[in-house]
Amino acid sequence: MAAWKILRDFSYRRVISSTLGRSRHCFSSSSSSSSSSAAYAAPKIPHFSKRGRLLTGATTLGLVIATGAYVSTVDEATFCGWLFSATKLVNPFFALLDAEVAHTLAVSAAARGWVPREKRPDPAILGLEVWGRKFSNPLGLAAGFDKNAEAVEGLLGLGFGFVEVGSVTPVPQEGNPKPRIFRLRQEGAIINRCGFNSEGIVAVAKRLGAQHGKRKLDETSRTSSSPNDEVKAGGKAGPGILGVNIGKNKTSEDAAADYVQGVHTLSQYADYLVINVSSPNTPGLRMLQGRKQLKDLVKKVQAARDEMQWGEEGPPPLLVKIAPDLSKEDLEDIAAVAVALRLDGLIISNTTISRPDPVSKNPVAKETGGLSGKPLLSLSNNILKEMYLLTRGKIPLIGCGGISSGEDAYRKIRAGATLVQLYTAFAYGGPALIPQIKAELAECLERDGFKSIIEAVGADYR
């Protein structure tokens, strides 16, 4: 079946390209075709002889048959592996582009389905249940990549166990002036000072609503065509878990009102919600991590969530994302609030304003903004360890910062993370990195005798 689907898609694209190829110079995009046709006359189409058309058609048909015959000898898993490996060929092209342009193109490609789709099942050892939701694997994509929820389906299709969109602000805002994203390629790091650039909750809610309906319909179709009593991994709308990260507007004087508005508008589409109080690029935001400020904020957001009507599954879990640049006293305050208010989880951590070696020696290190990537691994792991001990393992923690391999993910899990997220390494390594990290993580667990992710959580401190 896989071979015939590929053959069918190839044939369809060939026919379409042949039909549209002659007039492709007449169009700039679907949105501008009408204005373009009024301004420009269609070019003359060269005449091909009947014999020439027959030869072209025969060549195309032969290529299609040969491709189909070859693909039919390859199993779906092997072919899927080839597709993911092939994405490495594109990485050098993206490296030549401006960092933000490359990021925009990557999101657009995922939104249009121009990325491979993972067909292979995850290793059983990676499956786990958190907040009553089944995750096929603990590897997620951190907020910041798909800020406006443009590519949820494409990103989940890459094989992430969960994808977090945002941060989303109530009112649309441009963010900080460009350039605002800087690569430190040799160090495997990025400095950004985007400043919550967002299309706003109305645009994101509309997009999530449409995607939610489509994913729900697809899941219903799959379930009815292949009934199975087994509970599959996934969230409200089907396979994959969706997190929504909420932020405040830069000029807002009432932070709590911003977060409450985000909850009221977006929580119906979220499998979990995140209060982002740790970005270093919004003035005054990190002050919300103080004990009194955080306690007041979480209470108001929890109340806003709980006053909404929920079905049997209940409201989405509420998490807080914290910074890595916190003192021991700060961590103790946050842990106390989290335990007292029964917070559903913490994400540790956001980017750092520090410049640890070897980043400090790079001229780009002088740029203001948050640092992410490999140099953040040790710092974020230390904060993760402290918070796991302070909360006594009672609160699920998501480890984020510096992951670029299965071993890195495993270290975070042993330090107390139940789930992990990556971003910077994905920006550099592309889709091929995802199955690689999952395979390496499974090997690490089996090597040390663990039968599941849950068994390994916090193993270094118990």
Side-chain angles (χ1 to χ4, degrees):
M1 283 299 294
W4 281 112
K5 286 181 181 178
I6 294 165
L7 180 57
R8 181 196 62 195
D9 292 344
F10 179 90
S11 303
Y12 176 78
R13 287 195 295 270
R14 181 68 187 182
V15 170
I16 294 300
S17 62
S18 297
T19 304
L20 299 180
R22 298 170 186 170
S23 56
R24 64 178 179 271
H25 299 293
C26 300
F27 308 116
S28 60
S29 69
S30 59
S31 61
S32 60
S33 59
S34 58
S35 60
S36 298
S37 61
Y40 300 98
K44 292 182 179 180
I45 301 174
H47 176 74
F48 295 98
S49 68
K50 184 176 181 181
R51 182 183 178 187
R53 290 197 298 271
L54 287 172
L55 287 173
T56 302
T59 303
T60 301
L61 182 59
L63 180 60
V64 170
I65 293 173
T67 302
Y70 177 67
V71 170
S72 66
T73 65
V74 179
D75 64 272
E76 189 175 53
T78 301
F79 187 71
C80 188
W82 287 351
L83 288 178
F84 273 86
S85 296
T87 62
K88 295 178 183 178
L89 301 174
V90 186
N91 292 344
F93 165 72
F94 279 92
L96 295 174
L97 302 175
D98 168 79
E100 189 154 359
V101 171
H103 173 229
T104 301
L105 285 177
V107 173
S108 181
R112 287 164 172 76
W114 297 347
V115 292
R117 190 166 188 85
E118 183 60 83
K119 300 291 186 181
R120 299 162 293 184
D122 288 325
I125 197 172
L126 298 184
L128 71 162
E129 184 172 330
V130 190
W131 309 306
R133 289 147 175 80
K134 289 185 177 295
F135 292 72
S136 63
N137 70 77
L139 183 65
L141 178 61
F145 185 84
D146 189 7
K147 290 176 176 288
N148 297 302
E150 299 173 76
V152 172
E153 187 175 357
L155 293 171
L156 284 172
L158 287 171
F160 285 110
F162 62 108
V163 167
E164 188 176 313
V165 299
S167 295
V168 188
T169 58
V171 179
Q173 61 180 30
E174 293 289 333
N176 294 321
K178 300 176 182 179
R180 54 194 180 186
I181 302 177
F182 308 90
R183 296 185 181 104
L184 295 87
R185 196 177 308 280
Q186 188 173 354
E187 292 82 4
I190 287 175
I191 292 174
N192 95 81
R193 52 170 179 263
C194 290
F196 283 174
N197 50 310
S198 173
E199 293 182 11
I201 57 174
V202 174
V204 171
K206 184 177 180 180
R207 198 170 284 137
L208 283 177
Q211 293 174 359
H212 183 90
K214 183 179 182 300
R215 291 177 62 213
K216 195 79 172 176
L217 182 62
D218 291 345
E219 176 64 11
T220 302
S221 300
R222 278 193 294 266
T223 304
S224 60
S225 62
S226 56
N228 195 328
D229 293 335
E230 181 184 355
V231 179
K232 295 183 178 179
K236 291 180 178 179
I241 303 292
L242 174 65
V244 177
N245 186 301
I246 302 170
K248 67 176 285 290
N249 282 111
K250 183 177 182 179
T251 58
S252 175
E253 296 182 0
D254 189 345
D258 279 14
Y259 290 107
V260 166
Q261 191 175 353
V263 168
H264 281 160
T265 309
L266 300 174
S267 59
Q268 59 184 312
Y269 308 116
D271 292 311
Y272 71 88
L273 291 166
V274 182
I275 303 174
N276 189 348
V277 292
S278 53
S279 170
N281 302 313
T282 298
L285 185 69
R286 289 191 168 188
M287 292 176 62
L288 295 174
Q289 295 174 115
R291 185 167 189 153
K292 182 180 184 304
Q293 295 92 328
L294 184 63
K295 185 176 182 180
D296 291 343
L297 175 62
V298 171
K299 277 185 174 181
K300 290 177 180 178
V301 175
Q302 285 178 330
R305 177 199 61 177
D306 295 341
E307 71 185 11
M308 298 175 68
Q309 296 295 320
W310 299 104
E312 294 181 1
E313 61 187 10
L318 182 66
L319 290 73
V320 171
K321 187 169 186 176
I322 67 173
D325 311 303
L326 295 168
S327 67
K328 181 67 180 293
E329 184 179 355
D330 292 332
L331 294 175
E332 290 173 350
D333 287 344
I334 292 171
V337 171
V339 172
L341 298 183
R342 296 183 180 179
L343 201 61
D344 296 300
L346 294 167
I347 299 181
I348 304 167
S349 66
N350 214 315
T351 57
T352 179
I353 57 174
S354 67
R355 299 292 184 264
D357 289 335
V359 171
S360 59
K361 299 178 177 63
N362 192 313
V364 181
K366 296 178 182 178
E367 297 288 348
T368 58
L371 173 74
S372 63
K374 290 182 180 180
L376 181 58
L377 182 64
S378 178
L379 178 60
S380 62
N381 281 2
N382 288 337
I383 300 296
L384 178 64
K385 163 198 160 186
E386 290 293 334
M387 192 56 71
Y388 178 77
L389 293 174
L390 287 169
T391 58
R392 299 179 182 180
K394 294 179 179 179
I395 297 176
L397 306 177
I398 298 181
C400 181
I403 294 176
S404 60
S405 69
E407 187 69 41
D408 293 338
Y410 182 55
R411 286 172 60 188
K412 283 194 182 292
I413 290 168
R414 290 189 63 106
T418 302
L419 303 166
V420 295
Q421 290 178 321
L422 71 155
Y423 179 172
T424 302
F426 176 61
Y428 281 122
L433 187 65
I434 303 167
Q436 176 188 322
I437 289 179
K438 291 191 291 185
E440 291 173 354
L441 176 57
E443 290 176 5
C444 290
L445 292 166
E446 292 168 355
R447 177 194 68 203
D448 291 350
F450 294 111
K451 296 179 181 179
S452 68
I453 292 286
I454 296 300
E455 282 188 9
V457 174
D460 287 344
Y461 310 107
R462 53 178 170 79

